[in-house]
Amino acid sequence: MEIDPRRLRVLHEVARRGGVMRAAEALYLTPSAVSQQLAQLEREVGLALIDRSQRRVSLTPAGRVLAGYAERVEDELAEARRELTRFTERLAGPVRIAAFPTVIKHMLVPAMRDLAARHPQIVPIIHEVYGPPALQELRLGAVDVLITEQDMSLPVLAQPSLATHAFYVDEYRIVMPPDWPDPPRSVADLAEVPWVAGEPGQASGQALDRLAGLHGFEPRKVHVITDFGPTLALVAAGHGVAIVPALALLDVPEGEVRVSDLRDVGSRRLDAVTRISRTRSGQPDPVQAVVISAIEDATAALDATLVGHLQPL
C-alpha cells in the first residue's frame, strides 16, 4: 500500500476544518481538486475515508484514524524544518502573521524592514484578522504568529497548545473633541457624556466597561466602532469621547482631538501567540522567534515617538 503524503495533507485539512470548501481555501485549491485528491487517497488505501451519505462531508472511522496519522506527519515535517535550520547560517521561509491595523502599521511594517535587511530569506505574510477568528486560524495552522490585544485587567491567554509572549504595554488615553470646554478631573466626571465605544470583545471596549464599573456609572455608548480611525474622526467632530491606546494617537494630526491628562485609565497588553510543537523537542520555531524579536525591536523604537502624541492639549 503506497500512500502519497501530499494527499495526507489534504485529508488533514478536511478533518480539522470540517469540510471540503474550507480545506480548499486553506490549501489554495479548488473544491474539485480537493475531492479528486481524497478519491485518489481512498483508492490508494482501499477504504472509504469520506462519508458522502450526508449533506455535510464527514470522515469515516478509517478516515479519522488516517487523519490522526496525517497530523503526526505534519508535526514531524515541521520538526524536520526546525532541525534543518541548524545546518544553515540563514533562516528562511514564510511566516504568516495575524494582526490588526495599529500593530500592522506601527510595528509590523518597521519589523519587516529590519527582517529584510537581516534575514532576507524570511518572508513575512500579513493577515488582517483578529479576535476569535484569528485564534482559530492559529490553532488550525493557517497563521504562525498571532498578535493579540487584551485589557490588562484580564488574565493572559493560557491554553496547553499555545505559547504567549508579552511584548508591549500600550497605555490608554481618553480623547475628547478639540473644543471641549471643561477637561475632566476624574473618570467619574465623564459619567454623563456620550461615548464612542469599542466593541465589547476589543481591549478598548473592555477598558470602558472596567472604568465604568470602578466609578459606578453606565456609559452612554452612542456609537460602537471597531477601528480607531473612525473612532477618532467621530471624537474630532464632537460626537463623543473615547478610550484609545497610545498607538492609535500616532495617526492623529496635531490638534484634531484633545488628549486628557487623566492617567488612571490603564493599558492594553499586546502579546505574540504561537503554537507549541507536539513533537520531541518542543522548542520554539527559530524563524518565528526571529520575527517576534524583530517586532519587539520595532516597538522599542516607538517610545520616543509616542511622547509627543501623549501630551495633553
Side-chain angles (χ1 to χ4, degrees):
M1 180 188 299
E2 294 291 334
I3 300 176
D4 190 329
R6 292 171 297 180
R7 297 191 180 102
L8 280 181
R9 188 185 181 201
V10 173
L11 179 66
H12 180 222
E13 288 294 341
V14 171
R16 67 180 182 169
R17 292 186 177 270
V20 169
M21 294 291 292
R22 291 182 178 178
E25 292 173 358
L27 295 168
Y28 300 99
L29 297 173
T30 64
S32 175
V34 169
S35 296
Q36 291 172 15
Q37 291 293 313
L38 293 173
Q40 182 60 35
L41 183 58
E42 288 179 319
R43 286 191 288 270
E44 289 175 351
V45 301
L47 293 166
L49 303 174
I50 305 296
D51 183 355
R52 299 176 176 84
S53 64
Q54 302 178 23
R55 185 173 182 179
R56 182 178 179 181
V57 171
S58 61
L59 271 60
T60 65
R64 289 193 292 272
V65 169
L66 190 57
Y69 281 100
E71 185 171 11
R72 295 182 204 175
V73 169
E74 284 289 309
D75 282 345
E76 289 292 339
L77 287 173
E79 181 70 9
R81 286 190 288 269
R82 278 189 286 272
E83 291 291 329
L84 288 173
T85 59
R86 301 179 183 180
F87 296 93
T88 178
E89 294 181 356
R90 291 189 173 184
L91 299 175
V95 179
R96 298 158 296 183
I97 309 167
F100 40 91
T102 51
V103 166
I104 293 171
K105 181 175 182 179
H106 299 296
M107 295 181 177
L108 296 189
V109 170
M112 290 171 71
R113 287 196 293 265
D114 180 65
L115 284 169
R118 298 186 183 184
H119 303 281
Q121 293 186 355
I122 293 179
V123 183
I125 301 170
I126 310 301
H127 292 212
E128 186 186 338
V129 58
Y130 42 90
L135 191 58
Q136 181 182 19
E137 290 297 286
L138 177 67
R139 291 196 188 100
L140 293 175
V143 298
D144 303 306
V145 179
L146 168 61
I147 306 301
T148 64
E149 63 157 12
Q150 202 165 6
D151 187 69
M152 287 294 289
S153 65
L154 299 176
V156 176
L157 177 68
Q159 296 187 19
S161 61
L162 302 178
T164 300
H165 180 83
F167 69 90
Y168 195 70
V169 175
D170 195 8
E171 183 184 3
Y172 292 129
R173 300 305 293 268
I174 293 176
V175 292
M176 304 164 291
D179 56 353
W180 194 271
D182 187 16
R185 292 186 294 261
S186 71
V187 174
D189 292 341
L190 299 170
E192 302 299 326
V193 304
W195 285 89
V196 183
E199 294 283 352
Q202 284 183 287
S204 57
Q206 296 162 354
L208 176 55
D209 291 340
R210 169 176 53 79
L211 286 175
L214 286 173
H215 294 272
F217 69 90
E218 183 69 28
R220 184 156 61 93
K221 300 178 182 179
V222 177
H223 307 284
V224 179
I225 307 295
T226 300
D227 293 331
F228 293 123
T231 294
L232 290 162
L234 284 166
V235 172
H239 295 291
V241 302
I243 294 176
V244 298
L247 280 182
L249 294 174
L250 290 175
D251 300 320
V252 183
E254 184 176 353
E256 187 167 289
V257 298
R258 186 168 188 169
V259 182
S260 166
D261 60 359
L262 296 176
R263 305 304 295 269
D264 57 349
V265 184
S267 57
R268 67 173 178 172
R269 183 183 62 249
L270 301 184
D271 297 330
V273 186
T274 58
R275 295 182 305 279
I276 296 175
S277 172
R278 295 188 296 177
T279 51
R280 291 184 301 274
S281 72
Q283 297 299 313
D285 185 303
V287 175
Q288 294 175 14
V290 165
V291 169
I292 292 172
S293 177
I295 296 172
E296 288 181 315
D297 291 343
T299 63
L302 281 174
D303 290 337
T305 306
L306 283 170
V307 170
H309 289 78
L310 294 179
Q311 297 302 317
L313 298 175

